[in-house]
Amino acid sequence: MKRYAVFGHPVLHSLSPKIHRTFGQQSGIELDYVAIECAPGDFAAALSSFAKSGGQGANVTLPHKQRAAELCNLLSNRARRAGAVNTLIRHDNGWLGDNTDGVGLVRDLTGRQGLDLRGRRTLLLGAGGAARGVAPALLEAGVGDVFVVNRDSTKADALIDQLGEPGRMHARYFDDLGTLGEFDLILNATSATRHGTLPTLPMSLVGPRTAAVDLSYGEAAIPFLAWARAAHAHTTVDGLGMLVEQAAESFFLWHGVRPDTDPVYTELQARHAALITAD
């Protein structure tokens, strides 16, 4: 049986094993897909052990995406541009790294959510692996100027340098947020809400057509989306659809089969809604 995994810290809550098993059932492909918890300092060893045990592919989530890129001896064009990897493909001499986060996000926003991203003035909160994964695809989808805000300004500058779009992308501090005006698209790519905190965000960022998107899903997305609704954002979206779509792209890279994402998304969304109602 083919072996796959998702690496992260924390990761045991991940829906990826269920998603990929469902894709396998759809496609008639038998596979073993598990979640592997490992701290940042243990990731390289854990990945090596997985490869030696027959692992043929893996997904990578926080906080390992940039380290994963460093461990690959081959990178796809989109992984190289992002400087971060979320999908690993085993080959004879090591790992090929790719990044399906951006295409997954854009497919969800433009397809399932029906958003036209072209020309949208965009605020990207965060400059880590999650932000790096989606920024190139957003630019390719035609968004307007992108303002990157991160607590460590050097990371925001590094992201802009990585993408080579200095005229279109702009680094700012969190203290600048009150002076930036309204945005048509606001994306939360920080990990702060995973720890129960949300950076102070002025409501002046939100206008009548603003779409607010959290790249996380479940409880981690609640604080940001609650802020966006209180600010009267036109549209609020969590990262569940992105999760399913990026998984489908990974599945395609591994197996050459493109799964049907709609029934998987519908099932997971219904389960999430039921959990919120129960609480």
Side-chain angles (χ1 to χ4, degrees):
M1 184 176 292
K2 297 179 179 179
R3 296 197 65 214
Y4 300 88
V6 56
F7 289 84
H9 182 67
V11 77
L12 298 182
H13 67 287
S14 175
L15 295 175
S16 292
K18 175 176 175 52
I19 292 171
H20 280 275
R21 284 195 292 266
T22 303
F23 287 163
Q25 290 166 2
Q26 281 184 6
S27 311
I29 296 172
E30 290 190 21
L31 56 87
D32 177 36
Y33 188 114
V34 298
I36 299 178
E37 177 84 23
C38 58
D42 300 328
F43 174 58
L47 182 61
S48 176
S49 176
F50 177 67
K52 290 176 181 177
S53 70
Q56 294 176 283
N59 289 126
V60 183
T61 188
L62 295 174
H64 304 310
K65 294 182 179 184
Q66 288 171 263
R67 178 62 176 140
E70 296 170 356
L71 295 173
C72 293
N73 62 331
L74 295 174
L75 292 173
S76 70
N77 288 335
R78 56 190 176 189
R80 186 176 297 107
R81 190 175 187 209
V85 160
N86 84 322
T87 301
L88 294 165
I89 305 161
R90 188 68 182 165
H91 63 90
D92 289 342
N93 299 315
W95 293 103
L96 164 64
D98 204 337
N99 198 307
T100 66
D101 281 338
V103 67
L105 175 66
V106 170
R107 282 178 184 165
D108 181 57
L109 295 183
T110 59
R112 185 173 291 110
Q113 310 299 337
L115 296 179
D116 185 352
L117 299 180
R118 292 173 297 179
R120 285 187 181 249
R121 188 170 188 258
T122 299
L123 175 62
L124 181 59
L125 302 172
R132 284 173 170 268
V134 301
L138 290 169
L139 293 171
E140 291 171 7
V143 298
D145 282 4
V146 179
F147 290 76
V148 182
V149 177
N150 193 68
R151 293 195 185 281
D152 182 352
S153 63
T154 60
K155 286 188 176 181
D157 291 333
L159 171 56
I160 293 171
D161 290 343
Q162 177 81 27
L163 293 174
E165 297 269 1
R168 199 169 159 198
M169 300 187 70
H170 318 276
R172 294 292 186 271
Y173 295 101
F174 271 96
D175 290 343
D176 298 328
L177 286 175
T179 67
L180 298 182
E182 297 177 358
F183 288 88
D184 304 311
L185 179 63
I186 303 175
L187 300 111
N188 180 31
T190 70
S191 59
T193 51
R194 290 174 177 258
H195 308 293
T197 61
L198 178 70
T200 300
L201 303 174
M203 292 190 175
S204 59
L205 297 171
V206 176
R209 71 186 295 262
T210 301
V213 180
D214 199 310
L215 302 192
S216 296
Y217 60 91
E219 291 185 2
I222 290 175
F224 174 74
L225 297 183
W227 166 81
R229 294 183 185 110
H232 305 293
H234 183 274
T235 305
T236 57
V237 181
D238 72 4
L240 184 61
M242 170 187 166
L243 175 72
V244 174
E245 295 300 331
Q246 65 80 24
E249 183 71 8
S250 295
F251 191 89
F252 175 74
L253 292 172
W254 292 331
H255 307 291
V257 176
R258 194 167 294 283
D260 185 359
T261 58
D262 284 340
V264 179
Y265 174 77
T266 299
E267 179 187 349
L268 294 177
Q269 187 183 47
R271 178 198 291 185
H272 178 55
L275 290 174
I276 292 177
T277 302
D279 288 343

